[in-house]
Amino acid sequence: MNDLGVGVLGTGWVSGEHIRAFKANPHTEVRAILSRDKARAAAQAEEHKLASCRAYDHLEDLLDDPAVRIVSICTPHHLHVPQGIAAAKAGKHLLLEKPVALDLAGLRALQAAVGAARVKTLVSFVLRWNPLFETIRALLADAIVGQLFYAEVDYLHGIGPWYRQYSWNVKKEMSGSSLLTAGCHAVDGLRWFVPKRAVEVFAYSNFSARNPLQYEYEPNSVTLVKFEDGTLGKVASSIECVMPYVFNIVLLGDQGTIRNNQVFSKRWVGQRGWATIPTILPDSGDVTHHPFGDEVNHFVDCILNDRESHASLEDAAKTHEICFASEISAREKRPVSLPL
Ligand SMILES: NC(=O)c1ccc[n+]([C@@H]2O[C@H](COP(=O)([O-])OP(=O)(O)OC[C@H]3O[C@@H](n4cnc5c(N)ncnc54)[C@H](OP(=O)(O)O)[C@@H]3O)[C@@H](O)[C@H]2O)c1
């Protein structure tokens, strides 16, 4: 039974993926779309053959619609806090695209609104549902590489005019930083593989010599993270690199090593070289490759069974704090302690 109505904010690239995912779930139906232009919302509904979907051009009207119980926020980053707070106050469950906020004050305000409304949240760190991520988590749970002491996760993906979001992504006030706009997937991956508390961050960021994509903020950064047990983490993020999208994972443990889909373990007696796991890797820039279906199914399950997601706003806030700390560290040239 499609008893959970969904309202989707925005009609861009990722909004189409959210709509497809909600359409495929047996408990949800997309009943509202918000656009700055009502005709664009109607066209999006038609394109996805959404029979009982209303088009809105004012958020308040969509939030007043009792048919909407979940709001999916697929707009540019700077709108996530005000739209998220309004939707939480209206009692809607929230699927929030990353980054959820561009600064600590916005993050805390959103957390307060969600806490007061007691609605369910899921932040779209969609790679947590990527098959390689799931395989690595299983290998770590089985201690195949033993205890980790170093972890490296990098997001290297040129975001230029070939992406629709580029027009606003170059702007500081709409996108924040290299980590916030996209590299946060790598920060979240680091936290997902090293489930310890991050206690300190140190970072550098830069422009390339000519800044060919005209970013208003440094599109490249490298961030070091110290975890409470001494494990070291490193996240490089570049959104102006000139190469196909690379998502890099290196996990060093005292019994072996994981390099993306390659594994070497002392526990596998007689292993003489890397074992390669043929699976789906995270590094595709094509959003249709991302497992939004599994993410949405997980969220709906959390709502129906009244439980918090592992990717709730409370958890995702810790990923965002590392991103904010990285920005402060690079600007002030000093290590930054966590929590902020
Ligand atoms: N989790 C992931 O892997 C993933 C992947 C891609 C994107 N995302 C996130 O999803 C969000 C949307 O990204 P996108 O790639 O879908 O961007 P996009 O294609 O540019 O779509 C954004 C939509 O937001 C609406 N919008 C409202 N105010 C706007 C404004 N001032 N400027 C531009 N658009 C505005 C627009 O719809 P109307 O014109 O109809 O109002 C637009 O179509 C971002 O936060 C991004 O980080 C996440």
Side-chain angles (χ1 to χ4, degrees):
M1 194 175 62
N2 302 340
D3 44 7
L4 287 172
V6 181
V8 177
L9 314 188
T11 60
W13 199 35
V14 86
S15 127
E17 293 312 306
H18 283 211
I19 291 172
R20 277 187 200 94
F22 282 117
K23 263 189 87 173
N25 185 286
H27 302 286
T28 56
E29 183 176 41
V30 178
R31 296 193 181 134
I33 297 177
L34 178 80
S35 170
R36 290 165 299 172
D37 177 349
K38 225 180 208 179
R40 220 166 19 245
Q44 179 86 317
E46 196 177 322
E47 184 189 330
H48 290 275
K49 299 185 173 40
L50 303 172
S52 44
C53 179
R54 282 182 283 275
Y56 290 98
D57 57 4
H58 282 90
L59 178 62
E60 307 72 43
D61 297 338
L62 182 146
L63 296 178
D64 277 346
D65 187 336
V68 172
R69 294 186 52 204
I70 300 173
V71 166
S72 159
I73 300 184
C74 303
T75 47
H77 318 333
H78 70 300
L79 297 173
H80 296 178
V81 165
Q83 291 179 334
I85 289 175
K89 283 186 173 162
K92 315 292 183 187
H93 302 297
L94 295 178
L95 173 51
L96 291 141
E97 265 309 337
K98 39 56 57 176
V100 298
L102 294 177
D103 56 34
L104 189 64
L107 176 67
R108 295 291 184 245
L110 184 58
Q111 285 179 286
V114 162
R118 302 170 74 88
V119 291
K120 295 279 181 282
T121 54
L122 183 117
V123 178
S124 191
F125 284 123
V126 70
L127 292 178
R128 291 191 184 193
W129 289 270
N130 169 265
L132 177 63
F133 268 50
E134 297 201 353
T135 302
I136 289 176
R137 288 265 298 185
L139 291 168
L140 294 173
D142 288 346
I144 297 300
V145 296
Q147 175 109 18
L148 293 186
F149 55 88
Y150 176 85
E152 191 173 299
V153 186
D154 302 320
Y155 182 93
L156 306 171
H157 183 203
I159 301 177
W162 48 92
Y163 284 109
R164 194 161 141 179
Q165 66 157 251
Y166 168 73
S167 59
W168 54 264
N169 196 49
V170 291
K171 298 186 165 69
K172 171 76 181 162
E173 79 276 8
M174 289 173 89
S175 287
S177 68
S178 183
L179 278 190
L180 285 168
T181 197
C184 54
H185 280 300
V187 175
D188 195 67
L190 179 70
R191 288 192 52 242
W192 193 229
F193 300 134
V194 183
K196 305 280 179 190
R197 202 165 50 85
V199 293
E200 196 170 276
V201 169
F202 189 82
Y204 289 110
S205 59
N206 75 358
F207 290 101
S208 66
R210 289 185 304 105
N211 186 18
L213 297 176
Q214 299 288 295
Y215 273 93
E216 289 180 6
Y217 53 93
E218 288 95 337
N220 315 297
S221 66
V222 59
T223 302
L224 302 180
V225 182
K226 192 168 87 181
F227 290 90
E228 59 186 334
D229 66 343
T231 302
L232 300 178
K234 182 218 102 183
V235 173
S237 174
S238 174
I239 52 173
E240 68 161 8
C241 55
V242 184
M243 63 185 196
Y245 174 28
V246 164
F247 194 94
N248 180 49
I249 302 166
V250 178
L251 304 173
L252 308 186
D254 56 15
Q255 297 296 309
T257 296
I258 297 172
R259 291 178 64 211
N260 300 314
N261 62 334
Q262 294 189 304
V263 187
F264 185 84
S265 173
K266 284 206 292 198
R267 288 187 52 200
W268 292 340
V269 178
Q271 192 180 355
R272 285 163 178 244
W274 294 102
T276 301
I277 298 167
T279 186
I280 298 169
L281 306 178
D283 42 14
S284 162
D286 180 356
V287 81
T288 57
H289 169 83
H290 297 163
F292 286 103
D294 292 341
E295 175 185 89
V296 159
N297 292 344
H298 163 81
F299 187 39
V300 171
D301 192 57
C302 289
I303 294 170
L304 293 177
N305 293 297
D306 192 20
R307 62 184 176 84
E308 291 303 320
S309 166
H310 56 73
S312 68
L313 179 64
E314 274 313 294
D315 182 80
K318 300 188 178 93
T319 295
H320 285 71
E321 280 197 56
I322 293 176
C323 299
F324 300 146
S326 168
E327 222 181 325
I328 297 167
S329 172
R331 190 175 57 241
E332 299 182 2
K333 300 181 175 42
R334 64 175 176 92
V336 174
S337 298
L338 293 174
L340 290 177

